[in-house]
Amino acid sequence: GTSRPRFKSGQPQSKVAKQSCCWFEVCRGSNHLNLLCKFELPKPAGFEDGQPHQMIKRKVSIILFYDNKGNILLQDRREISKHGEEYGFFGGKIEENETPEEALKREIKEELEIELRDFKLFKHYKQIIPKINRNVERWVFIAPMPNLRKLKVKEGEIAFMKFEDSFKLKMIPGD
């Protein structure tokens, strides 16, 4: 039979036994006995040191500019990619004490140097993206296409295209 590890009562204690394909950790504390097995496989994002981490929570406001000919405006991110994406929407992180609308106006001013006025909420949703270890809450807004000659792009480049052509682009996961 298998002998059980013996622990003194009181403070939680831990004993680790290395095995060929995995390691086991037996912990006892507060009358609970936990057995964990971690196989030596590539660890997903958020498990770099072998322990699960809470996903990074992020709230973002993004916008899709469009015209009546089926064109949209995206951000070409190939030179500024953070997660391997090549394209994305303009917009960004919602700062503490900022509404999604305020964040969007600030981000568009920073990224394109225009004052955003005519926009509306299209969709609000939450999504877990394990590939980049994110728990994202997004506010997606839409707005008529701005005058492209007045844009002064500060992050990435402008990508003007037909909406259907955007389906095959390498976007930020979840976009």
Side-chain angles (χ1 to χ4, degrees):
T2 306
S3 64
R4 294 174 93 185
R6 299 205 180 261
F7 297 98
K8 296 178 185 174
S9 61
Q11 296 296 323
Q13 298 177 23
S14 175
K15 180 178 179 181
V16 176
K18 191 91 169 153
Q19 302 216 341
S20 61
C21 67
C22 62
W23 57 266
F24 295 90
E25 181 175 341
V26 180
C27 300
R28 182 178 174 184
S30 306
N31 297 325
H32 292 91
L33 185 64
N34 299 313
L35 177 65
L36 304 170
C37 178
K38 304 237 186 258
F39 290 92
E40 295 175 3
L41 298 172
K43 294 177 178 67
F47 291 80
E48 288 79 8
D49 63 0
Q51 297 299 317
H53 296 272
Q54 188 166 0
M55 290 197 140
I56 298 167
K57 290 184 180 182
R58 187 167 166 124
K59 294 181 179 185
V60 296
S61 279
I62 57 178
I63 193 161
L64 178 63
F65 293 107
Y66 66 94
D67 68 15
N68 60 2
K69 296 176 185 164
N71 297 307
I72 61 170
L73 187 67
L74 294 175
Q75 183 183 45
D76 181 334
R77 299 186 52 83
R78 289 178 284 190
E79 299 296 320
I80 60 169
S81 177
K82 294 179 184 174
H83 303 288
E85 78 281 5
E86 295 178 359
Y87 295 89
F89 295 105
F90 287 99
K93 182 179 177 186
I94 300 172
E95 302 293 339
E96 195 171 328
N97 298 320
E98 197 173 42
T99 68
E101 294 81 5
E102 291 167 339
L104 186 64
K105 287 179 180 181
R106 175 185 51 75
E107 288 284 344
I108 297 306
K109 180 71 172 171
E110 290 172 6
E111 295 174 358
L112 299 173
E113 284 197 7
I114 60 171
E115 297 291 331
L116 189 59
R117 291 186 175 89
D118 183 21
F119 64 100
K120 65 180 180 178
L121 181 65
F122 172 70
K123 187 174 184 177
H124 171 234
Y125 65 99
K126 296 178 183 180
Q127 181 180 26
I128 293 176
I129 310 170
K131 182 178 178 181
I132 59 171
N133 193 38
R134 298 285 191 275
N135 180 348
V136 180
E137 185 172 6
R138 281 192 179 89
W139 283 261
V140 182
F141 293 88
I142 56 174
M145 187 74 67
N147 183 335
L148 299 180
R149 289 185 279 267
K150 291 186 177 183
L151 300 180
K152 295 178 183 152
V153 183
K154 300 296 182 184
E155 292 183 26
E157 300 290 330
I158 289 176
F160 181 81
M161 68 189 67
K162 291 287 185 189
F163 180 69
E164 58 271 10
D165 293 338
S166 69
F167 300 153
K168 59 186 171 221
L169 298 177
K170 190 174 181 183
M171 303 278 282
I172 294 173
D175 280 358

